[in-house]
Amino acid sequence: MSQKFDVVVIGAGPGGYVAAIRAAQLGLKTACIEKFIGKEGKVVLGGTCLNVGCIPSKALLDSSYKYHEAKEAFAVHGIEAKGVTIDVPAMVARKANIVKNLTGGIATLFKANGVTSFEGHGKLLANKQVEVTGLDGKVEILEAENVIIASGSKPVEIPPAPLTDDVIVDSTGALEFQSVPKKLGVIGAGVIGLELGSVWARLGAEVTVLEALDKFLPAADEQIAKEALKVLTKQGLNIRLGARVTGSEVKKKQVTVTFTDANGEQKETFDKLIVAVGRRPVTANLLAADSGVTIDERGFIFVDDHCKTSVPGVYAIGDVVRGAMLAHKASEEGVMVAERIAGHKAQMNYDLIPSVIYTHPEIAWVGKSEQSLKAEGVEVNVGTFPFAASGRAMAANDTAGLVKVIADAKTDRVLGVHVIGPSAAELVQQGAIAMEFGSSAEDLGMMVFSHPTLSEALHEAALAVNGHAIHIANRKKR
Ligand SMILES: Cc1cc2nc3c(=O)[nH]c(=O)nc-3n(C[C@H](O)[C@H](O)[C@H](O)COP(=O)(O)OP(=O)(O)OC[C@H]3O[C@@H](n4cnc5c(N)ncnc54)[C@H](O)[C@@H]3O)c2cc1C
């Protein structure tokens, strides 16, 4: 006899595992199916984010930054650190340990909340039945009142640079290098390319980033993107815009990449090449022909604002549906869907999903950019504050970048907060909280901020919107 559940979730990434836990918390009998095989040859929970995405990349970013600081930045504090060396396998092993702890933690949370875990491949059939094919090939059918599809995404591969065992790799391979490549090529100057390029550049690789677009970070505010390009280039990342890769040839553990740019055809040889040109939704063998769920023209599962698919009682969340491919977007969709299944009126504010690039300085934003607001014909007032004028940033010797607050010129309501600088991710979150509560720039300016903090830069930028900044000269006096 088939088992019956109120909710069956396919995929245990940050979308799926969060949805499963929240559904179980709300008293719904919940199952979650996962097939990701971890390093130890067993199924592990946590999806891309915990296994090969957010967490392992941040572990390497933090380790590599500490190395870089010890080598390059301690001296200015009067600290002598001679003979600083790097043990790449130890660094990569530390990362693996963090992943193991966190993914194991999800299994514990499932047990604590009463989520039933199934190991294997999940496929949606007609009438909300879900077929689970175990690792041993055994097939089981689950009957579900509701199904949540959270099957995530995988890296896009490109014909001019097909992956090899160890020379041309995707983001997952780039988290596993056991030594520092002398010359590293990265295709794609997006979030993942910049973060992974930064890791290996800090450890000593000569890094070239090939980006087909002429514009750097087109989704970011133009002022912030310009500053980012300047700072990252100064750090040694050779970012080549308008460089379209047309071919690659692997010979003797090296790869020669052919690309065209404004100067015509070029060739560069690298010891490793990371392909980081984006991710695509995972829908292979996921939906039976008569499941009724439709896919949009870009290959994503079609959903409405509440993540409902074309079949009542079937939902899809996270990277497999439209919108930003971000773990926090996936998780919040998971919570919203679980709560709606339980009869609550939950919804999510898609306008306030923060974006972060964990380079150093970090680049982060929430809300709209100045150029997009101008294109919409919205009149704005803008306040900026450079970290070079922040006492806390000076104390930390971390003064690159700025905070930018954009407010509606008529209402003063904050419409965007953009930061490049130390702890930008944390500062932008403060902006997101303010914006969620409809704050004006004046409201933010009237709040008391601890001194000395990096957050004061947000305070000053908010004050600068109306010409009231204290620690810089105001462009507009009001
Ligand atoms: C290198 C890198 C760094 C990143 N850094 C960040 C970051 O700093 N911040 C951030 O917000 N985002 C980051 N991301 C993106 C983030 O990882 C994803 O947005 C997030 O994991 C999406 O969550 P999800 O639950 O939708 O899908 P996933 O995390 O991809 O999980 C989907 C799961 O479903 C399973 N699955 C798929 N099909 C089936 C099936 N048929 N049956 C059973 N199981 C199935 C898969 O095995 C997988 O485990 C990063 C990604 C990468 C690659």
Side-chain angles (χ1 to χ4, degrees):
M1 240 193 41
S2 53
Q3 297 192 58
K4 287 197 170 113
F5 289 93
D6 296 321
V7 180
V8 171
V9 184
I10 302 177
Y17 85 71
V18 169
I21 290 173
R22 187 68 191 118
Q25 282 174 350
L26 289 161
L28 300 163
K29 191 179 173 203
T30 304
C32 186
I33 310 162
E34 176 56 67
K35 64 173 182 183
F36 193 102
I37 307 283
K39 290 205 151 149
E40 290 169 4
K42 293 188 190 140
V43 169
V44 282
L45 307 176
T48 304
C49 168
L50 263 57
N51 288 288
V52 291
C54 324
I55 298 298
S57 58
K58 267 79 254 179
L60 292 186
L61 277 158
D62 284 340
S63 294
S64 59
Y65 193 67
K66 284 193 190 306
Y67 171 73
H68 164 82
E69 284 238 287
K71 259 192 108 172
E72 313 287 341
F74 277 12
V76 77
H77 295 274
I79 303 169
E80 201 179 273
K82 279 197 183 132
V84 177
T85 57
I86 180 92
D87 178 346
V88 177
M91 195 180 268
V92 174
R94 183 192 88 98
K95 174 217 67 167
N97 218 20
I98 295 166
V99 169
K100 191 174 169 195
N101 285 340
L102 282 171
T103 54
I106 307 293
T108 308
L109 286 172
F110 270 12
K111 280 202 188 95
N113 286 284
V115 175
T116 307
S117 236
F118 286 88
E119 295 185 350
H121 180 95
K123 180 174 182 176
L124 180 70
L125 309 179
N127 303 319
K128 291 182 286 185
Q129 286 192 322
V130 180
E131 176 190 86
V132 186
T133 308
L135 302 181
D136 54 4
K138 225 175 103 195
V139 176
E140 194 172 348
I141 302 291
L142 310 181
E143 307 276 346
E145 283 296 319
N146 301 276
V147 177
I148 304 174
I149 302 171
S151 52
S153 64
K154 58 193 243 180
V156 168
E157 292 177 33
I158 49 168
L163 302 188
T164 65
D165 277 349
D166 61 348
V167 179
I168 308 182
V169 298
D170 59 14
S171 59
T172 302
L175 297 167
E176 297 298 332
F177 294 161
Q178 295 297 313
S179 60
V180 182
K182 197 165 172 310
K183 283 190 79 180
L184 172 67
V186 181
I187 308 180
V191 181
I192 293 175
L194 292 177
E195 290 187 358
L196 294 174
S198 293
V199 165
W200 297 104
R202 288 168 191 169
L203 299 179
E206 195 185 301
V207 178
T208 299
V209 184
L210 301 170
E211 168 57 58
L213 296 177
D214 291 321
K215 199 169 174 188
F216 186 58
L217 295 179
D221 182 272
E222 275 170 6
Q223 185 179 3
I224 301 291
K226 207 169 142 200
E227 182 71 14
L229 183 59
K230 195 175 83 191
V231 176
L232 295 176
T233 302
K234 204 168 149 205
Q235 285 174 9
L237 287 185
N238 178 14
I239 299 169
R240 303 186 60 163
L241 299 175
R244 184 171 289 278
V245 174
T246 54
S248 62
E249 193 186 2
V250 178
K251 251 194 209 160
K252 290 187 189 157
K253 298 263 170 212
Q254 284 196 317
V255 52
T256 300
V257 178
T258 312
F259 59 96
T260 50
D261 65 10
N263 300 319
E265 190 172 282
Q266 317 271 337
K267 280 188 195 296
E268 280 252 18
T269 299
F270 303 108
D271 300 301
K272 300 267 187 206
L273 178 67
I274 304 173
V275 181
V277 294
R279 298 181 62 81
R280 63 184 172 85
V282 170
T283 52
N285 196 25
L286 178 69
L287 307 166
D290 58 355
S291 73
V293 170
T294 50
I295 304 271
D296 72 17
E297 65 285 353
R298 294 175 58 221
F300 293 91
I301 294 180
F302 176 78
V303 288
D304 70 6
D305 283 354
H306 296 131
C307 295
K308 285 185 189 161
T309 68
S310 42
V311 176
V314 178
Y315 302 81
I317 59 173
D319 282 10
V320 78
V321 302
R322 82 292 171 257
M325 283 185 163
L326 292 169
H328 42 285
K329 177 260 191 186
S331 305
E332 285 313 309
E333 285 182 334
V335 169
M336 171 178 72
V337 167
E339 295 194 347
R340 291 185 80 84
I341 290 172
H344 297 230
K345 287 206 171 4
Q347 52 191 358
M348 126 167 211
N349 187 351
Y350 282 96
D351 291 335
L352 292 183
I353 298 174
S355 296
V356 183
I357 307 173
Y358 291 86
T359 45
H360 197 102
E362 289 177 353
I363 303 157
W365 65 90
V366 64
K368 296 199 170 169
S369 63
E370 188 174 354
Q371 73 267 16
S372 63
L373 286 162
K374 283 195 173 146
E376 286 170 25
V378 180
E379 257 184 70
V380 295
N381 286 328
V382 173
T384 58
F385 190 81
F387 284 103
S390 151
R392 191 73 191 88
M394 270 186 235
N397 191 39
D398 209 351
T399 53
L402 68 135
V403 178
K404 174 171 183 174
V405 174
I406 308 173
D408 189 300
K410 291 197 186 86
T411 64
D412 196 40
R413 188 176 175 143
V414 178
L415 301 176
V417 174
H418 305 260
V419 183
I420 174 168
S423 300
E426 309 294 340
L427 297 191
V428 152
Q429 198 57 48
Q430 299 179 28
I433 294 168
M435 289 167 73
E436 187 68 51
F437 289 97
S439 170
S440 64
E442 187 186 27
D443 291 330
L444 257 179
M446 286 193 317
M447 285 182 62
V448 182
F449 281 68
S450 320
H451 175 75
T453 54
L454 296 168
S455 304
E456 286 173 306
L458 174 64
H459 189 218
E460 288 276 355
L463 286 167
V465 167
N466 292 307
H468 301 160
I470 301 295
H471 293 92
I472 40 161
N474 289 289
R475 270 191 285 164
K476 286 179 198 154
K477 300 244 185 312
R478 293 201 182 95

